[in-house]
Amino acid sequence: MQRMTAPAEWRCSAAELTPGRTTKFRLECRGRGVEGFVVNHDGEYHAYVNRCPHVGTPLDLWPNEFFAEDGRTFICSTHGALYEPATGYCTAGPCAGDSLTRLPLRREGDILVVTCP
Ligand code: FES
């Protein structure tokens, strides 16, 4: 039986990721599965590993729900750490001063391409 593996890069249409939206994906990086997400924050795209630096759980309790009620800040569903979408910097909570792990993201025309770090 063939094992299903995630690709080493992930692509999506930039036009479909409108401002304020996020989308999730999986990469295979050096034999390890990595779950990530991309955000369109004020027209700029950023990709991060979906892993809170506090204890390593995914940020989203409900799939693809990353924003706090303000719609402008990421919130970790486990203990409520807050993050800036543009930088991944944690501004409040148990891991304040730490950051999400950024994933390399480039644009090829209308296509966003995220790769392993
Ligand atoms: S695991 Fe995210 S704040 Fe604790």
Side-chain angles (χ1 to χ4, degrees):
M1 191 164 111
Q2 189 177 359
R3 194 168 74 98
M4 295 290 288
T5 57
E9 70 174 32
W10 176 85
R11 294 167 175 261
C12 81
S13 161
E16 288 179 16
L17 195 66
T18 52
R21 289 194 60 192
T22 56
T23 189
K24 292 172 62 170
F25 56 84
R26 274 189 80 77
L27 294 175
E28 182 82 7
C29 300
R30 289 172 287 282
R32 280 187 44 232
V34 174
E35 183 176 282
F37 66 101
V38 176
V39 61
N40 178 339
H41 181 67
D42 294 338
E44 300 284 331
Y45 299 93
H46 308 277
Y48 299 103
V49 175
N50 186 14
R51 182 177 186 277
C52 180
H54 181 216
V55 294
T57 54
L59 270 64
D60 57 330
L61 179 62
W62 297 101
N64 202 33
E65 293 285 332
F66 291 96
F67 283 106
E69 281 184 15
D70 66 2
R72 305 276 310 161
T73 311
F74 295 146
I75 185 165
C76 175
S77 58
T78 306
H79 306 113
L82 299 175
Y83 296 91
E84 295 175 344
T87 62
Y89 184 74
C90 180
T91 57
C95 46
D98 215 330
S99 295
L100 300 174
T101 302
R102 187 177 282 277
L103 289 167
L105 184 153
R106 67 179 191 276
R107 196 161 172 165
E108 294 178 359
D110 184 46
I111 302 297
L112 302 176
V113 183
V114 182
T115 55
C116 293

